[in-house]
Amino acid sequence: PEGGNQQQSDVNLIDVLTPSEISPLLSNPEVASGTLFPHLPSDINRTPEELREVIQSPQFAQALQSLSIALQSGQLGPLLTQLGLDPSAGSGVEAFLRAIQNQVSRQRRNNPE
Amino acid sequence: MSDAGDWCLIESDPGVFTELIKKFNVSGIQVEEVWSLDAQTLEELKHVPVYGLIFLFKWQGNKDSSGSHPDADLSIDDSVYFAKQAINNACATQAILSILLNCPSIDLGPDLQQFKDFTREFEPDDKGLAMTNSDLLRSVHNSFSRSDPFIMDPSELSSNEKEDIFHFISYVPIHGALYELDGLSNGPVNLGPCTEDDWLEKVRPVIQERMARYASAEIRFNLLALIKNREDVYKKRLESDISFEEREDLLHKIELENIKFKRYERENSLRKHNFIPFIYNIIRILAERGELDARIEHAKKEMAKRKK
């Protein structure tokens, strides 16, 4: 498809969020219960074990894959605004990740602990 | 073939198909993946009635699938319910219906029975259209769409993805003959006489030939069987006069079925879940910990490796 923002060298979220890399984060109870449990399907038990199974599931991989494709297609404007990101974050996976990094850094500057 | 309409693409997975059938208000049916058609598998399947088999595959481009039965009898047989595939994305539902609607021993429930009665006299093209236009069928089918807040416009997909064609062929014994029902061919193909007892043996060489052909062409396929609900079958057998060992064996099998259905339920719930807020929050955690840059670099290397 046309559209100048199709960087061929873009990344795939599947390689960013591999189960082996992110599962250590999930053992932190604060991270798990505070940040991630609220975003699990309602019929999944809120335990670290379940969380680990979810991130290893083919359905989660499928979600990463389709979000990557959608980001590359650059049609996620409304969603990005909803997440408080700049619409330019929709021009690829890397742009999306960098925008989240910037958002976190900015929020840190504004609310120093 | 018309465009995708508003039918979502769903996975050809036994758990998805089983829930789909249940939501059509048809009870007592489940779907299983069949990995091999060796004698042992067939023997086991015979004990649980198999209503039909679905051979499902995905290819790229517009190769012709037919032509494997040059001397086949294509004359329209009124006793066979045959619908042409009208929309690619609807093929999972069509594959299931072409078995359900041809098995008099299945209790279709009010909705499908009404649909069958209403469309019985339609031409195959119109039957296919009626399926894709049915609100009930579409809404049940689409309940499996993931709830991501974006909808992929098919025109945005790369040409490669656009040309993927999902295709199904159902095999069903109908009134003493084995039929091949292919939604992209002109009519049902009569593969010769069979009985309820020997139809699986008769269909074996036909499917094995297809498996060999597609495997050599690197076409992804799977084979699914529509069977009677196993728990019902086992419970029925428990009521008869059986040995202690057999009873224990049946109870164990029922337990395994329960575990399997719990797994189906869980997978289906993950399938329908909108993971974006979850993914976003994991990325934020990585960013807060200062690990995101390293992950991006890692992902770039993986991408470069794949391109080689």
Side-chain angles (χ1 to χ4, degrees), chain B residues 85-117:
Chain B
Q85 187 172 334
I87 291 182
N88 241 324
N89 285 0
C91 76
T93 289
Q94 292 209 5
I96 290 168
L97 289 183
S98 56
I99 293 175
L100 293 177
L101 299 182
N102 277 305
C103 289
S105 56
I106 296 177
D107 177 7
L108 291 178
D111 300 319
L112 281 194
Q113 188 60 53
Q114 195 193 13
F115 179 83
K116 185 179 177 180
D117 295 341

Side-chain angles (χ1 to χ4, degrees), chain B residues 42-43 46 173 194-202:
Chain B
L42 286 194
E43 190 54 34
K46 257 199 246 171
C194 72
T195 65
E196 295 291 324
D197 285 326
D198 71 5
W199 80 271
L200 284 174
E201 274 124 42
K202 295 256 163 91

Side-chain angles (χ1 to χ4, degrees), chain B residues 130-153:
Chain B
M131 284 179 185
T132 53
N133 288 333
S134 154
D135 287 336
L136 167 86
L137 298 178
R138 190 177 51 226
S139 67
V140 170
H141 180 106
N142 282 350
S143 70
F144 280 91
S145 67
R146 295 199 337 280
S147 56
D148 296 350
F150 53 85
I151 297 163
M152 290 300 286
D153 176 352

